[in-house]
Amino acid sequence: MSRTYSLAYLNSHRCSPPEALRVAAQAGYAYVGLRLWPNAAGAPQQFLLGQPEVLRETLAVQRDTGVGVFDLEIIRLDADFDPQRWQALYEAGAALQAKAILVAGDDTDEARLTANYARLCEVMAPYGMSADLEFMPWTAVPDARSALRIVQNAGTPANAGILVDALHFGRSGTTLDDIRAIPRSLLHYAQICDAQAGRGFTTEQMIHTARCERLLPGDGNIDLQGLFDALPADLPISVEVVNFEREKTASPAEWAAICLAASRPFVER
């Protein structure tokens, strides 16, 4: 079965939003992911919010290439969460016809985190996007079981979602049975890359790998075949292989094509 592929932000982090769309079109992707809000203060991002000329150019490239925007990054649920903080992100997503916003959970008070996730879903609903909670082993949502518990305790809003990243599957206590237990209605896309699997990594090591040194599918030992066999066969795939050293030898379009070619064997039946 052929798949729908999206070029994740981390796979095209060298590109502006319009450039990412052009790279995706050249390399054979149907969508891109954009990080319009940094994952930490001062961290890398793509600049579009508050820049109407960039939005106009991005929309024009969308029309010219036919490449869509799948997901936007990133909303972090912390103890001081206020859903109105990301109003500009919701509006940009609606303008770009994005399908999802990636959500991370940082609040160790799970009851409050759950309530705030429900609030986020409610606020996002009019904008037509799902709020996809990504489990990451160094956060307050460390594995798939935690993500499912939070979403279900939030009342499973109609636009709720759980994002499965192969890296975090391979480095958390998540099992294939945990993946199979996620209802299909909560799965909107999944991210693929590879790495050395296991749970013996420090938080700093896990974050470094996630942001700087992922491996091409097949170059690590995460059970990618088992994972993508456990996920729905028609699930869109976000290719997220950031590797600063490997990227030095390839243009953004070349790297995007290399990563897509390496991903296909694990997800196409």
Side-chain angles (χ1 to χ4, degrees):
M1 177 182 292
S2 62
R3 292 275 192 154
T4 297
Y5 293 96
S6 179
L7 180 66
Y9 159 73
L10 281 175
N11 224 114
S12 60
H13 63 92
R14 294 178 282 176
C15 301
S16 69
E19 290 168 346
L21 287 160
R22 294 187 185 99
V23 164
Q26 183 177 343
Y29 294 79
Y31 292 92
V32 299
L34 301 175
R35 180 172 290 174
L36 303 185
W37 201 286
N39 61 3
Q45 68 177 101
Q46 293 162 312
F47 293 95
L48 180 146
L49 302 183
Q51 300 187 15
E53 69 284 358
V54 179
L55 176 59
R56 285 194 296 270
E57 182 183 358
T58 304
L59 291 170
V61 177
Q62 276 190 284
R63 291 191 296 268
D64 291 343
T65 63
V67 174
V69 174
F70 202 99
D71 65 321
L72 300 179
E73 301 182 21
I74 181 177
I75 291 176
R76 307 199 75 103
L77 301 177
D78 56 20
D80 300 319
F81 174 74
D82 176 358
Q84 302 305 324
R85 185 187 311 166
W86 287 276
Q87 185 66 34
L89 187 64
Y90 311 146
E91 293 173 356
L96 295 165
Q97 297 183 44
K99 297 180 180 297
I101 293 182
L102 190 155
V103 180
D106 294 333
D107 190 352
T108 55
D109 183 332
E110 188 170 302
R112 183 172 56 202
L113 173 61
T114 300
N116 284 330
Y117 178 73
R119 289 177 63 206
L120 174 64
C121 289
E122 181 181 8
V123 170
M124 282 180 54
Y127 298 92
M129 292 175 287
S130 57
D132 289 72
L133 183 61
E134 181 176 10
F135 62 88
M136 310 178 207
W138 64 87
T139 69
V141 189
D143 51 40
R145 293 185 300 278
S146 302
L148 182 57
R149 182 175 63 248
I150 289 166
V151 169
Q152 290 178 332
N153 287 343
T156 316
N159 61 335
I162 293 174
L163 175 57
V164 177
D165 182 329
L167 176 63
H168 307 322
F169 162 75
R171 291 191 168 185
S172 70
T174 299
T175 67
L176 292 175
D177 284 341
D178 295 332
I179 297 297
R180 296 185 191 100
I182 301 173
R184 178 65 180 88
S185 61
L186 293 176
L187 294 168
H188 303 117
Y189 67 119
Q191 295 173 326
I192 190 169
C193 71
D194 211 340
Q196 293 303 305
R199 303 182 68 183
F201 299 96
T202 65
T203 294
E204 291 73 21
Q205 288 171 328
M206 289 189 290
I207 291 174
H208 176 79
T209 299
R211 298 178 182 175
C212 308
E213 204 172 20
R214 297 175 183 235
L215 300 180
L216 288 167
D219 285 356
N221 63 357
I222 294 173
D223 183 11
L224 296 180
Q225 199 63 69
L227 174 61
F228 287 96
D229 284 349
L231 288 165
D234 60 346
L235 196 66
I237 302 299
S238 174
V239 179
E240 189 178 44
V241 190
V242 57
N243 189 300
F244 290 167
E245 285 302 312
R246 289 290 306 272
E247 292 171 33
K248 290 178 180 178
T249 64
S251 70
E254 290 168 339
W255 182 242
I258 290 168
C259 295
L260 180 57
S263 300
R264 287 186 185 276
F266 293 96
V267 298
E268 294 186 8
R269 305 288 197 270

